Amino acid sequence: MSTAPQLVVHRDKELMAQAAAARLITKIVDAQASRGSASVVLTGGRNGNGLLAALAAAPARDAVDWSRLDLWWGDERFLPEGDPERNITQAREALLDAVPLDPKRVHAMPASDGPHGADVDAAAASYAEELAQAAGPENHGPVPTFDVLMLGVGPDTHVASLFPELPAVRETDRTVVGVHGAPKPPPTRVTLTLPAIRAAREVWLLAAGEDKAQAAAIALSGAGEIQAPAAGAYGRSRTLWLLDGAAASQLPRSLYPPASA
């Protein structure tokens, strides 16, 4: 069952990143207090990395017990380990190397020089298996119930590496798939599918900048998920769109309260 999206619009992308980082700290601390640990799915791109950098700079980051946090990824570029274009490489730079994480709980997606070599479909299957092993009976499915799953929204409405009309966005059974021929380089990627994304308690969609305005308007106007994958990304208990003023510029004001501007 989809949850109706809630919108929060910030003045600019810096404020959006800081507010989202503060919101994420609170969410992780609350989850750790109630369940002992927390699980978060990270996203790359300028908004995802901006949030991680803001989190690294936030004084409240020390409220998190980093050793009791599981980190997953929504998608990854299928490139060699350490490649600067990989989301994990950028996340390490922005935040991960600065906090005391348990390395066993940092679940990076496989690299193209990993155990599966250049076989992206085998790499995707192995990540699906890792997710399945982490899911407990209380999760009622093949992936853990993530506390927060974050997604950047592309100008074409793509989320993770689910691009409009491509096979991955149509996947209804598998939780992770290999992507061949993505319209945005690099063409080969690993991505969670919509069923895996929808296992999260909360899904946060991040969009900042004028180049995201049309995508936000399309995804929030009732478009279908095959044509606009961002429209199909929602959480079990909450779906939150975090935008800056530029990304919200084509949305009707009726969609969000004036106070949030």
Side-chain angles (χ1 to χ4, degrees):
M1 193 182 91
S2 68
T3 49
Q6 298 173 300
L7 278 68
V8 180
V9 181
H10 296 286
R11 188 177 61 243
D12 55 46
K13 67 175 191 291
E14 289 77 20
L15 197 58
M16 180 187 116
Q18 290 162 7
R23 191 184 285 273
L24 183 59
I25 289 168
T26 303
K27 207 39 80 177
I28 293 170
V29 169
D30 287 351
Q32 290 179 336
S34 61
R35 287 183 291 279
S37 64
S39 65
V40 172
V41 180
L42 300 182
T43 183
R46 66 171 192 250
N47 293 323
N49 290 321
L51 185 153
L52 294 182
L55 210 166
R61 80 177 204 196
D62 295 335
V64 171
D65 183 343
W66 295 99
S67 68
R68 292 190 292 132
L69 176 65
D70 280 284
L71 293 179
W72 302 88
W73 270 262
D75 74 322
E76 187 55 277
R77 293 148 180 175
F78 198 55
L79 296 166
E81 186 67 47
D83 189 291
E85 289 296 301
R86 274 175 64 82
N87 290 333
I88 175 77
T89 311
Q90 296 173 7
R92 288 193 190 288
E93 230 164 82
L95 171 71
L96 309 192
D97 287 345
V99 291
L101 291 157
D102 176 350
K104 293 194 294 294
R105 300 181 84 156
V106 177
H107 307 275
M109 286 182 159
S112 62
D113 57 353
H116 310 286
D119 187 342
V120 68
D121 299 308
S126 82
Y127 203 68
E129 179 56 31
E130 192 174 347
L131 283 163
Q133 286 176 357
E138 71 282 3
N139 297 131
H140 309 296
V143 297
T145 305
F146 312 114
D147 292 297
V148 177
L149 182 147
M150 294 182 289
L151 297 165
V153 179
D156 60 354
T157 73
H158 84 266
V159 289
S161 285
L162 302 174
F163 293 92
E165 307 282 355
L166 291 191
V169 77
R170 301 173 187 271
E171 181 63 47
T172 55
D173 296 324
R174 290 176 294 171
T175 56
V176 189
V177 294
V179 175
H180 305 263
K184 181 182 171 187
T188 311
R189 296 156 173 255
V190 178
T191 187
L192 298 189
T193 59
L194 287 175
I197 288 168
R198 293 168 185 162
R201 287 185 176 86
E202 297 199 6
V203 169
W204 298 2
L205 296 107
L206 313 174
E210 278 173 35
D211 61 327
K212 307 295 178 77
Q214 192 178 9
I218 291 168
L220 287 162
S221 68
E225 63 197 39
I226 305 300
Q227 293 75 31
Y234 48 80
R236 288 184 180 187
S237 61
R238 193 179 201 198
T239 306
L240 195 59
W241 280 73
L242 301 171
L243 307 114
D244 73 347
S249 60
Q250 292 184 29
L251 297 173
R253 285 305 297 251
S254 58
L255 275 181
Y256 60 94
S260 72

